[in-house]
């Protein structure tokens, strides 16, 4: 019922079904999917109630980082977002504290402990996302024995969630290709190198003082890995935000949402609201629309969205209101999200009374930034294990930057092992810096003066690292300063006696959907405008009336669709041709998809009281409790832990620590006065028995 049956970009493979039970009722799942996705697909999103205050619990990160999604699987507490469904599995919600399974008393009841295997390898890579895969390719090419481990059942990291074409350099990082397809290419290449071994569903648990890395292989076998060099490409975790109702089921990280929708093809919501106008939030909104989900709005506390303007613009054009200088006041609902309340903020980011508005929605995405998963790197350095980091684990940036930094780090690791890799070109380091750069200044759009023939109109008005449009024009008519792909492209009307032929290649490849083609050749008064469209072809047909918009999403008028083209060569980008009056044909940048009614506010506003703002999700400690400790003079987070139990839950303080630091700042305590809590292994919770060589459940995993 809650599965995606059709998608404009993703194929929907037929998969065998398996049966499991939830609260004693038989349910069906698809083979190889996680428990959380199987439950969502069945319409279940409350996975239990907290022991402290009975609050409903559900997923937050869908990435094994927050431990909010615990369920009991055959009596054992497991993270449902990391556990795959097995036929016949009995799954129950966690109501309060789970009970330990019974253990038979006496020596006869104890299983026999086995020695733990140690695997020695020149290079261990933690994380099979864009950076890890790119590094493994460089190492594999040089015949260097490498072990790459990843906690998911699929390689690719965040790439497998990205249906859009990538920005960046077409030469260096596959720009213009969709993230999902880059993941497949990188994985195929990695697996072609025999010296590179890959263990999926393998979770790195800790780096120890004897320079070994503990890992849980396939969820059942504990292994010690002793690398000469460790490369950490473990990506990022999403930041949290404290506001009333922030832990209600239905409030997720944007990455969790993309995992459900784009990886697992589950439709977890009908109406979505987004907090955060960085690239992650903007792209999540776009992915929601592609999956047929209404996006009610997006709030960004700053006066401008921090993500790429082209992402913001395409969302606005499709009919999603973007509320800048606004914040979320509360998520409302008793057991799960039923509405969200937002308000305008003043110059100090405080909500302005009287500007509150509530919107009907069942899901609220939190996309307020990422933190590097860098604890493995820090511990390796502390214990003297030679270590490198790349991708988001080193510095938060776009996946295209992670691909390139992984490539460079792969060469650096090879060199550190004594291999002759020659000089790594300074140009590579410069390219890496360019790919990491934040969006530059926005310029006023320059509309071409001519009104004859055929030519592209480039609606790309912000400097971002991106160059695919320059590579596809058969007559080389789109130019850019080749030394810096952040500079804006421009169209020249003729070169070598050749002009634009109207081939539409630039329209199809632009990752920002920011190029249209205006053709005056048949009718100068009503030229045809070719618009890129990444939705199902049959949503539009010749003869339909559509609202066309300028770059920013302002309506220009209603026009008739002349044709809808879905060419194989355009790789799932549909070209919609409309006939529009000459007065505004060149201004058209896109067409509205979502009706205005979908985003209208409720007639009244609702909100929750502020005393229940949860900072520590695992132990359900409120901002008020922690604030009181700070006001009582505590500066050591360990002391606050002892008083409140904050940071002592199963996520290992991953979600609350940044919020506690924020509370210190709000109370006027400088960072230098705050004593942080130490990061101690283990970084992920596991059954204790695995350290004695006791194997866990057998999930049929065939690694190692
Ligand atoms: S939702 Fe499963 S660990 Fe966060």
């Amino acid at each position: 019922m809650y599965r995606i049956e059709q998608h404009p970009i993703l194929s929907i493979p037929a998969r065998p079904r398996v049966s499991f039970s939830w609260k004693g009722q038989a349910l069906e799942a698809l083979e190889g999917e996680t428990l959380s996705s199987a439950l969502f697909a069945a319409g279940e999103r409350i996975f239990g109630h907290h022991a402290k205050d009975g609050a409903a619990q559900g997923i937050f990160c869908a990435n094994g980082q927050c431990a909010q999604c615990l369920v009991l699987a055959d009596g054992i507490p497991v993270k449902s977002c990391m556990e795959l469904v097995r036929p016949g599995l009995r799954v129950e919600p966690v109501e309060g504290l789970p009970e330990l399974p019974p253990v038979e008393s006496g020596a006869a009841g104890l299983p026999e402990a086995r020695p733990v295997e140690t695997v020695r390898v020149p290079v261990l890579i933690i994380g099979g996302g864009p950076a890890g895969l790119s590094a493994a390719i460089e190492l594999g090419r040089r015949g260097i024995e490498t072990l790459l481990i990843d906690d998911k059942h699929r390689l690719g990291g965040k790439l497998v969630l990205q249906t859009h074409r990538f920005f960046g350099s077409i030469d260096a990082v596959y720009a213009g290709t969709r993230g999902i397809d880059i993941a497949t290419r990188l994985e195929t290449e990695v697996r072609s190198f025999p010296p590179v071994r890959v263990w999926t569903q393998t979770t790195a648990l800790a780096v120890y003082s004897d320079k070994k890395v503990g890992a849980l292989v396939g969820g059942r076998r504990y292994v010690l890995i002793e690398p000469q060099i460790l490369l950490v490409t473990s990506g990022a975790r999403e930041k949290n935000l404290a506001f009333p109702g922030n832990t209600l089921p239905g409030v997720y990280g944007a990455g969790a949402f993309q995992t459900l929708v784009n990886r697992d093809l589950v439709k977890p919501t009908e109406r979505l609201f987004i907090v955060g106008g960085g690239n992650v939030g903007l792209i999540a909104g776009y992915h929601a629309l592609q999956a047929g989900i209404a996006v009610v709005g997006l709030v960004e506390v700053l006066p401008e969205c921090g993500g790429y303007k082209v992402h913001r613009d395409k969302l606005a054009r499709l009919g999603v209101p973007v509320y800048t200088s606004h914040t979320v006041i509360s998520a409302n609902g008793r057991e799960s999200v039923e509405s969200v309340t937002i308000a305008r903020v003043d110059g100090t980011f405080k909500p302005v009374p009287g500007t509150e508005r509530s919107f009907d929605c069942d899901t609220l995405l939190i996309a307020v930034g990422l933190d590097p998963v860098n604890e493995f790197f820090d511990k390796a350095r502390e214990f003297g294990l030679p270590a490198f980091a790349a991708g988001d684990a080193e510095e938060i940036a776009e996946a295209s930057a992670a691909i390139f930094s992984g490539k460079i780090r792969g060469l650096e690791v090879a060199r550190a092992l004594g291999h002759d890799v020659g000089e790594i070109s300074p140009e590579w380091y410069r390219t890496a810096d360019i790919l990491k750069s934040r969006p530059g200044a926005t310029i006023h759009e320059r509309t071409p003066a001519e009104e004859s023939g055929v030519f592209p109109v480039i609606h790309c008005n912000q400097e971002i690292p991106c160059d695919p449009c320059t590579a596809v024009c058969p007559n080389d008519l789109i130019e850019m300063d080749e030394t810096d792909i952040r500079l804006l492209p421009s169209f020249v009307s003729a070169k070598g006696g050749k002009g634009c032929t109207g081939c539409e290649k630039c329209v199809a490849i632009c990752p920002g959907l920011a190029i249209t083609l205006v053709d005056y050749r048949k009718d100068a008064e009503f030229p045809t405008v070719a618009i890129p469209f990444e939705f199902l072809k049959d949503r539009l047909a010749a003869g339909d009336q559509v609202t066309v918009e300028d770059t920013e999403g302002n309506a220009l008028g209603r026009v008739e669709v002349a044709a809808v083209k879905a060419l194989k060569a355009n790789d799932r980008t549909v070209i919609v041709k409309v006939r529009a009056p000459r007065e505004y044909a060149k201004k058209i940048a896109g067409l509205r998809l979502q009706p205005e009614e979908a985003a209208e506010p409720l007639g009244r506003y609702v909100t929750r009281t502020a005393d229940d703002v949860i900072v520590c999700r695992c132990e359900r400690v409120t901002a008020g409790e922690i604030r009181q400790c700070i006001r009582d003079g505590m500066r050591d987070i360990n002391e606050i832990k002892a008083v409140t139990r904050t940071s002592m839950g199963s996520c290992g303080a991953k979600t609350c620590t940044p919020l506690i630091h924020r509370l210190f700042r709000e109370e006027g305590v400088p960072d230098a006065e705050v004593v942080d809590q130490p990061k101690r292994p283990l970084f992920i919770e596991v059954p204790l028995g695995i350290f004695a060589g006791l194997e866990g459940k057998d999930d049929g995993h065939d690694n190692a």
Side-chain angles (χ1 to χ4, degrees), residues 58-70 79-82 256:
I59 70 162
F60 177 68
C61 71
N63 192 26
Q65 298 289 321
C66 75
Q68 296 295 292
C69 62
L70 279 190
K79 291 177 183 172
S80 59
C81 72
M82 300 299 285

Side-chain angles (χ1 to χ4, degrees), residues 67 80 87 171 222 325 372 377 476 504 528 610-611 625 631 641 698:
S80 59
D171 290 335
Y222 181 60
S325 296
F377 179 72
D476 200 19
E504 297 168 358
T528 306
D611 60 359
E625 290 173 80
R631 290 182 181 172
K641 277 170 76 169
D698 187 347

Side-chain angles (χ1 to χ4, degrees), residues 285-295 315 318 320 535 539 593-594:
Y286 187 64
H287 290 168
L289 293 169
Q290 285 184 319
I293 293 164
V295 183
L315 208 55
L318 289 164
V320 176
F535 292 85
R539 286 190 79 157
L593 190 72
Q594 185 169 266

Side-chain angles (χ1 to χ4, degrees), residues 543-621:
D544 285 354
Q545 290 286 316
V546 290
T547 300
V548 285
E549 297 170 306
D550 69 7
T551 306
E552 311 273 335
N554 302 305
L556 294 166
R558 298 275 293 168
V559 300
E560 186 177 303
V561 173
V564 181
K565 281 168 61 183
L567 301 183
K568 198 153 186 259
N570 289 342
D571 183 21
R572 294 158 282 181
T573 303
V574 174
I575 304 286
V576 178
K577 294 194 171 194
V578 298
R579 294 189 58 233
R582 132 187 235 155
E583 297 86 68
Y584 61 75
K586 285 182 289 186
K587 286 204 170 80
I588 294 172
L591 50 87
R592 184 171 289 251
L593 190 72
Q594 185 169 266
E596 272 176 35
E597 311 84 79
E600 275 176 6
L602 295 168
R604 64 201 155 76
Y605 84 85
V606 287
T607 188
R608 291 162 64 113
T609 48
D611 60 359
D612 61 351
V613 175
I614 295 290
V615 167
C616 169
R617 293 170 158 264
C618 299
E619 295 293 321
R620 296 199 62 81
V621 180

Side-chain angles (χ1 to χ4, degrees), residues 273-277 297-301 321-328 342-343 364:
F273 204 96
I274 301 169
V275 184
L298 178 149
V299 284
E300 165 57 51
V301 76
V322 176
Y323 300 97
T324 52
S325 296
H326 274 70
T327 191
V328 60
I342 66 167
L364 180 63

Side-chain angles (χ1 to χ4, degrees), residues 151-171:
D151 59 356
K152 306 289 184 313
H153 52 290
R154 247 177 100 176
L155 290 179
K158 291 284 186 281
L159 290 174
V160 303
L161 312 181
Q162 309 300 355
T163 59
H164 58 280
R165 295 176 190 265
F166 264 45
F167 296 78
S169 155
I170 208 163
D171 290 335

Side-chain angles (χ1 to χ4, degrees), residues 260-572:
L260 287 167
V261 172
N262 290 347
R263 188 193 70 185
D264 296 347
L265 297 165
V266 168
K267 190 175 174 185
T269 162
E270 294 294 330
R271 291 173 60 81
L272 176 73
F273 204 96
I274 301 169
V275 184
N279 277 342
V280 174
L282 295 168
I283 293 170
Y286 187 64
H287 290 168
L289 293 169
Q290 285 184 319
I293 293 164
V295 183
V296 181
L298 178 149
V299 284
E300 165 57 51
V301 76
L302 294 172
E304 296 289 342
C305 287
Y308 290 174
K309 186 170 182 301
V310 283
H311 282 317
R312 179 256 169 232
D313 288 347
K314 69 184 177 188
L315 208 55
R317 288 196 298 265
L318 289 164
V320 176
V322 176
Y323 300 97
T324 52
S325 296
H326 274 70
T327 191
V328 60
I329 298 291
S330 63
N332 316 303
R334 205 175 61 80
E335 285 267 285
S336 63
V337 175
E338 292 165 18
S339 68
V340 60
T341 303
I342 66 167
R344 193 150 50 75
V345 294
D346 62 18
T348 61
F349 303 115
K350 296 259 178 344
V352 178
T355 64
E356 298 89 348
R357 270 180 288 183
S358 294
F359 295 85
D360 181 11
C361 64
D362 58 21
T363 296
L364 180 63
L365 295 194
I366 307 295
V368 292
L370 302 167
D371 281 325
V373 176
N374 55 9
E375 50 266 28
F376 299 100
F377 179 72
D378 290 347
K379 281 290 162 191
R381 281 286 168 100
E382 183 184 328
F383 297 141
L385 170 62
F388 294 75
D392 280 350
E394 180 189 26
E395 183 180 349
I396 303 296
E398 292 302 298
S400 51
I403 293 172
F404 210 71
S405 76
K407 192 174 157 96
I408 292 176
R409 226 55 83 224
L411 288 183
E412 290 174 348
V413 168
R415 186 161 60 191
L417 283 168
H419 290 256
D420 181 8
V421 297
E423 193 203 359
I424 303 174
S425 164
E427 265 311 298
W428 279 33
Y429 289 101
R430 184 163 178 276
T431 301
D433 282 342
I434 287 175
L435 292 171
K436 277 191 276 191
S437 51
R438 305 261 164 240
T442 301
I443 61 149
H444 191 69
E445 185 162 314
R446 297 161 298 184
T447 308
E450 58 261 52
E451 292 197 339
S452 61
V454 59
F455 53 85
V457 179
I458 300 175
H459 303 271
C460 171
N461 304 322
Q462 185 189 43
E463 290 181 356
I464 54 171
C466 187
D467 71 1
C469 59
T470 63
V472 292
C473 179
N475 293 334
D476 200 19
L477 300 173
I478 298 184
E479 296 185 333
M480 182 183 282
D481 182 339
E482 282 174 14
T483 63
D484 191 343
I485 61 165
R486 287 169 296 195
L487 300 176
L488 291 171
S490 56
F491 170 73
V492 289
S493 52
K495 201 183 263 184
K498 291 185 176 161
C500 177
T501 60
C503 72
E504 297 168 358
K505 285 187 177 161
C506 54
V507 179
I509 201 165
C510 173
L513 307 192
I515 300 181
T516 54
L517 196 79
V518 188
D519 190 346
Y520 295 84
R521 291 175 296 186
K522 282 199 183 130
D523 187 339
E525 287 307 311
F526 265 83
T528 306
V529 185
I531 303 168
F533 188 67
E534 289 186 311
F535 292 85
L536 290 169
K537 177 178 180 283
D538 54 16
R539 286 190 79 157
L540 290 173
D544 285 354
Q545 290 286 316
V546 290
T547 300
V548 285
E549 297 170 306
D550 69 7
T551 306
E552 311 273 335
N554 302 305
L556 294 166
R558 298 275 293 168
V559 300
E560 186 177 303
V561 173
V564 181
K565 281 168 61 183
L567 301 183
K568 198 153 186 259
N570 289 342
D571 183 21
R572 294 158 282 181

